[in-house]
Amino acid sequence: MNTRKPPERAMHPIDKAILDERMSALRGHREADEKAILAGFNEGEVEQWRKENERKDAARDEEEQRRTAERVGRRIQAQLAGCHIPPKFSGASFGHAASSSQSKGLQGVPAVGRGG
Amino acid sequence: MAEEGRYDGRMGLILTGAPGNGKTSLAIASLRRFVERTEGEDPASFWNVNHSLQTIRQSFDEDRRQEGSSILDVCRASFIVLDDFDKVGRVTAWVEEQFYALINGLYVEERRVIVTTNLSARRLLEMLDDSLASRLMEMCTEVAMAPHDYRAAS
């Protein structure tokens, strides 16, 4: 006969795992899964929580990457603005080497914007 | 070179060639690539030498304290384009003094420099004091651009 005291729902191990997951997401999930199963939840529920956590992780990572890219982009733009590049040459870059006919005069050098 | 990561602190370029053949564009494209690769962390600077010296001269007239700071500012940048290096106008003692502060500052700080000029490197170095020519030669390699005038072609 199982005499173990049922777990309190308010202190659900999954909740604890969610708090911990930022520190160690993968390990945290695995432990949470194990704790949840030990606590008497069925595998279907645990699987659902796991998937939900993974989805949240992915969304958070994506958002973080987007914010980082924005931050870097702003920093690059600010740095370039501080260079005082004349407007005439503001488009000069190595970005269109393959399609630009301007590379013809610059042997071995990627094409850049017009002017000299 | 910047793309391949070979553009180290002791290496610069003197882009030489006729007007309109893309020296400034190539230099600015390199500067832009440097800023992108360093994710905007390292300061970079574009200097049209004639224009910048005029600006310094004007600020000098307005406030003596401003003069030295502009030269020091450009020396703080990790990557510097010095455009139309030979177009300094009349070479006065003041211009020579500025050039010395500029080139020596870039030299001792081991900055990455791209110089553009319509003159050959040899002619350009002849313009300079021996000590500055020596520093510039140590910092830079000449790249002679192919003779094609994109301005005329456009």
Side-chain angles (χ1 to χ4, degrees):
Chain A
M1 182 178 165
N2 187 359
T3 58
R4 201 171 54 185
K5 186 180 176 183
E8 294 180 30
R9 304 288 289 199
M11 296 297 291
H12 194 276
I14 287 290
D15 293 335
K16 177 72 167 59
I18 288 172
L19 292 174
D20 290 341
E21 71 186 6
R22 291 197 74 104
M23 298 168 63
S24 180
L26 186 60
R27 194 165 63 87
H29 291 330
R30 199 177 299 126
E31 287 175 355
D33 289 356
E34 290 167 0
K35 285 178 184 175
I37 290 169
L38 285 174
F41 288 87
N42 69 49
E43 290 187 13
E45 286 177 294
V46 173
E47 178 68 10
Q48 190 179 340
W49 288 325
R50 190 179 62 76
K51 284 182 177 173
E52 180 64 14
N53 283 337
E54 285 176 355
R55 190 191 62 75
K56 286 178 182 173
D57 282 350
R60 189 172 54 237
D61 288 350
E62 195 175 316
E63 176 64 12
E64 186 61 31
Q65 284 177 5
R66 190 185 63 76
R67 286 183 184 172
T68 300
E70 280 182 5
R71 197 162 49 242
V72 170
R74 282 196 298 272
R75 199 165 56 220
I76 288 172
Q77 289 306 315
Q79 191 64 257
L80 287 173
C83 292
H84 304 296
I85 294 170
K88 166 81 174 169
F89 297 100
S90 61
S93 75
F94 292 123
H96 309 294
S99 60
S100 173
S101 61
Q102 294 172 32
S103 62
K104 289 175 183 173
L106 307 174
Q107 294 164 358
V109 176
V112 293
R114 292 179 187 281
Chain B
M1 295 168 78
E3 178 74 3
E4 294 169 14
R6 291 191 290 121
Y7 199 56
D8 64 27
R10 294 188 62 78
M11 191 166 185
L13 299 175
I14 301 178
L15 303 181
T16 65
N21 73 352
K23 298 183 295 296
T24 302
S25 294
L26 181 59
I28 289 175
S30 302
L31 181 148
R32 184 185 297 278
R33 180 56 57 92
F34 172 82
V35 171
E36 288 169 354
R37 284 177 67 91
T38 58
E39 298 190 342
E41 295 278 10
D42 289 346
S45 189
F46 174 86
W47 255 44
N48 178 282
V49 173
N50 184 280
H51 176 76
S52 299
L53 286 179
Q54 280 184 24
T55 304
I56 293 174
R57 192 179 286 120
Q58 284 169 2
S59 69
F60 180 66
D61 292 341
E62 293 163 7
D63 182 350
R64 294 182 68 88
R65 289 171 302 177
Q66 292 293 313
E67 183 200 19
S69 63
S70 294
I71 289 286
L72 290 178
D73 283 347
V74 76
C75 293
R76 281 193 200 100
S78 299
F79 188 111
I80 301 102
V81 173
L82 299 173
D83 191 38
D84 277 342
F85 195 73
D86 54 300
K87 300 287 192 300
V88 291
R90 196 161 59 90
V91 181
T92 63
W94 181 84
V95 168
E96 284 184 346
E97 186 184 315
Q98 299 303 309
F99 261 63
Y100 184 83
L102 175 63
I103 295 174
N104 189 58
L106 299 176
Y107 176 77
V108 298
E109 298 289 343
E110 295 188 329
R111 298 312 192 199
R112 300 159 197 182
V113 183
I114 295 184
V115 171
T116 76
T117 175
N118 294 337
L119 304 177
S120 66
R122 189 177 60 80
R123 288 279 310 281
L124 180 70
L125 295 172
E126 284 173 358
M127 279 178 50
L128 300 172
D129 174 86
D130 285 349
S131 62
L132 294 184
S134 166
R135 283 164 168 75
L136 200 59
M137 277 179 68
E138 187 177 328
M139 285 195 289
C140 297
T141 302
E142 180 180 7
V143 176
M145 304 276 286
H148 180 95
D149 189 343
Y150 290 106
R151 289 195 190 111
S154 64

